[in-house]
Amino acid sequence: MLSKEQIAQRIAKEIKNGQYINLGIGIPTLVANYIPDELEIVLQSENGLLGIGPFPVEEQVDADLINAGKQTITMARGSALFDSAESFGMIRGGHVHLTILGAMEVSENGDIANWKIPGKIVKGMGGAMDLVSAARQIIVAMQHCSKDGSSKLLKECQLPITGVRCVNKIVTDLAVLEIMPQGGFKLLERAPGVEVAEIRNKTEGKLIVPGDIPEMVLP
Amino acid sequence: MIDKTIKDAKEAVKDIQSHAVLMLGGFGLCGIPENCIAALLDRPLSSLTCISNNAGVDDFGIGLMLKKKMVKKMISSYVGENKEFERQLLSGELEVELIPQGTLAERIRAGGAGIPAFFTPAGVGTEVGGGKEVREFDGKLYLLERWLRADYSFVKAWKGDSAGNLIYKGTARNFNPMMAAAGKITIAEVEELVPAGELDPNAIHTPGIYVQRIFQGKDYEKRIEQRTISST
């Protein structure tokens, strides 16, 4: 089973040179730590920045410079600042190549639920609905099962959804999976030491196993 | 040049009435109109509708207005950082409308730009789409969303001039420019106020036409929610 850091490491391997990328809060934020130095990419922060840099050292901390998780940040070389309407214009306009975000549930046709649990306090969707409605590629970072052991990769989402038919790829603590256009989770890779049978047991939605499934290679 | 300078936050908020619709700039606690919020707290106001991306924290920002029960309705995209907010929401004292962040930004932009409605893909097939017109364009579905406008908009900028021209800093820009345009009366508080003519016209983010009142704020706390420091 992968740790959160290893899920982030595996997702970082999906990133291609020249991409503009939006990272959600949680595991997706960790992905930034594992992007290979030789790749030229730009991280978008939906509160109005292209070019998120590393966290600041004490003397650099600026209350006027935060990411969407409200953490203090710095700007990378060649950054651009803008307002929230411009920011979501570039998101909805399909200019962001890749969105990486967390999820509570994903369905076999690519629906995602990550903003609301009925009966619990509702904090809001923030920018998630805008991001999933228009990103060119969406990768989800999540745990395969909830704490009680039930699958989070479902036939249909049980929780209120954030977007329909939008997820392309999922990296969990057990596997890398791709959503097929006709529906179904296609198994691409297993976490080290995890058998296909376990992934099958823990995937409620339709699992497609195309022959021998390789183990993930982590750096 | 028309001089829009007023003395301070107290003067800025003196005519605001209960039941008014307010827009307040900021993302989290970044770029919020601190001085005007403090001045609003000293007015006997209630039943306000507040349009703001977030609702502050328990002891800062809009959270302070919630604590004084001044707010009837919040229109926001994310409100997770505030216990008093949760309490009022669960007890039914507070009404909340949650809107996808990009839709919120665009509804405000539309309000300032005279566009009564527009189509967006955000929220199609979700609860957000309930009761809204859905239309297909080039094979994809979109929701009809309406503009948002306010009686008063409160914005915070880094620099401003007496003509109401504004320059923001860093990610403190966020919702401020659109809200400036969407308020019938827009009140700008700035860290540094200069006479008209001293700011570079090339660098203005919000043109003065949108601003009716401007003053130099003081004692900015600029509280940080997540102070994250690099170890190297």
Side-chain angles (χ1 to χ4, degrees):
Chain A
M1 281 199 354
L2 302 187
S3 65
K4 286 178 180 175
E5 287 73 20
Q6 287 172 314
I7 293 175
Q9 267 182 342
R10 177 60 192 81
I11 290 177
K13 289 175 67 179
E14 301 289 318
I15 290 170
K16 295 182 182 66
N17 199 38
Q19 285 187 321
Y20 288 83
I21 303 166
N22 183 289
L23 302 177
I25 295 162
I27 300 175
T29 305
L30 299 174
V31 174
N33 301 336
Y34 303 108
I35 299 171
D37 288 340
E38 62 271 23
L39 295 187
E40 293 288 341
I41 58 105
V42 178
L43 297 177
Q44 202 252 15
S45 193
E46 64 258 32
N47 54 323
L49 170 65
L50 275 173
I52 305 175
F55 292 126
V57 294
E58 193 67 49
E59 310 77 74
Q60 291 176 309
V61 168
D62 179 354
D64 292 330
L65 206 53
I66 62 169
N67 64 17
K70 285 115 184 172
Q71 295 171 308
T72 47
I73 51 166
T74 60
M75 291 188 280
R77 217 159 53 89
S79 286
L81 293 157
F82 36 84
D83 64 51
S84 300
E86 179 89 51
S87 178
F88 282 93
M90 65 184 71
I91 288 167
R92 281 189 313 265
H95 305 280
V96 175
H97 298 103
L98 173 60
T99 289
I100 301 169
L101 74 180
M104 301 169 186
E105 295 175 348
V106 173
S107 78
E108 64 185 35
N109 67 358
D111 295 354
I112 178 170
N114 70 353
W115 78 281
K116 182 176 185 182
I117 302 175
K120 289 203 178 171
I121 191 74
V122 179
K123 295 189 170 193
M125 65 292 280
M129 285 193 181
D130 309 274
L131 281 160
V132 301
S133 74
R136 292 197 221 164
Q137 191 194 358
I138 296 175
I139 301 179
V140 169
M142 66 191 295
Q143 304 298 323
H144 213 97
C145 297
S146 56
K147 289 201 177 82
D148 68 5
S150 57
S151 179
K152 295 163 86 168
L153 276 57
L154 306 171
K155 249 184 214 341
E156 280 178 35
C157 289
Q158 302 303 304
L159 296 170
I161 60 171
T162 310
V164 292
R165 294 181 174 274
C166 54
V167 175
N168 302 102
K169 210 172 242 190
I170 305 160
V171 178
T172 74
D173 49 337
L174 302 180
V176 180
L177 309 105
E178 185 184 348
I179 301 283
M180 301 303 288
Q182 70 277 19
F185 299 100
K186 181 178 167 186
L187 184 57
L188 302 179
E189 295 173 23
R190 300 171 288 121
V194 173
E195 298 299 322
V196 171
E198 181 181 354
I199 297 165
R200 197 185 293 282
N201 276 337
K202 292 181 173 171
T203 305
E204 190 231 69
K206 182 179 174 191
L207 185 74
I208 300 160
V209 182
D212 283 343
I213 305 300
E215 250 184 27
M216 273 177 227
V217 179
L218 291 168
Chain B
M1 265 295 164
I2 306 164
D3 189 348
K4 295 165 181 176
T5 310
I6 56 167
K7 191 162 146 263
D8 55 15
K10 192 176 172 193
E11 188 184 343
V13 305
K14 67 179 182 196
D15 58 346
I16 293 165
Q17 304 291 317
S18 291
H19 302 279
V21 176
L22 313 183
M23 286 184 182
L24 299 106
F27 182 95
L29 300 177
C30 181
I32 63 171
E34 287 184 26
N35 279 220
C36 280
I37 291 172
L40 285 167
L41 293 170
D42 289 335
R43 296 275 330 276
L45 298 171
S46 63
S47 299
L48 299 171
T49 294
C50 289
I51 302 170
S52 184
N53 188 54
N54 311 90
V57 295
D58 276 311
D59 59 348
F60 202 57
I62 295 173
L64 296 170
M65 296 170 67
L66 292 166
K67 202 175 263 177
K68 289 197 83 175
K69 310 224 164 92
M70 297 166 72
V71 183
K72 174 190 67 177
K73 182 176 182 182
M74 279 301 313
I75 300 178
S76 303
S77 88
Y78 190 82
V79 292
E81 325 293 350
N82 191 321
K83 289 201 177 57
E84 175 62 14
F85 179 96
E86 283 190 18
R87 194 197 62 73
Q88 290 187 20
L89 181 60
L90 293 170
S91 69
E93 293 163 62
L94 180 67
E95 199 185 325
V96 178
E97 188 179 341
L98 292 169
I99 300 177
Q101 195 175 136
T103 300
L104 180 63
E106 192 63 14
R107 287 178 67 183
I108 297 166
R109 198 195 72 79
I115 307 283
F118 58 91
F119 285 96
T120 176
V124 169
T126 75
E127 284 180 11
V128 166
K132 289 175 187 158
E133 182 184 339
V134 178
R135 202 184 294 181
E136 186 179 321
F137 295 93
D138 299 330
K140 186 168 168 169
L141 298 177
Y142 297 83
L143 290 182
L144 185 70
E145 294 281 2
R146 298 172 67 94
W147 62 7
L148 282 171
R149 291 180 294 175
D151 298 319
Y152 295 89
S153 280
F154 295 96
V155 302
K156 155 77 188 0
W158 179 41
K159 291 182 182 176
D161 68 18
S162 54
N165 297 305
L166 303 176
I167 298 174
Y168 307 93
K169 177 169 154 275
T171 54
R173 194 182 319 181
N174 54 64
F175 284 80
N176 284 299
M178 294 84 77
M179 288 182 172
K184 275 184 217 144
I185 304 277
T186 289
I187 298 159
E189 55 176 273
V190 299
E191 291 177 52
E192 187 185 348
L193 183 63
V194 299
E198 290 196 10
L199 298 178
D200 178 0
N202 288 297
I204 304 295
H205 296 127
T206 292
I209 189 170
Y210 300 122
V211 175
Q212 280 69 46
R213 302 171 191 170
I214 188 165
F215 68 95
Q216 181 163 312
K218 57 180 185 186
D219 303 331
Y220 281 102
E221 183 178 340
K222 293 200 185 182
R223 197 183 291 189
I224 292 171
E225 280 182 78
Q226 307 280 342
R227 177 179 287 268
T228 318
I229 306 291
S230 176
S231 47
T232 47

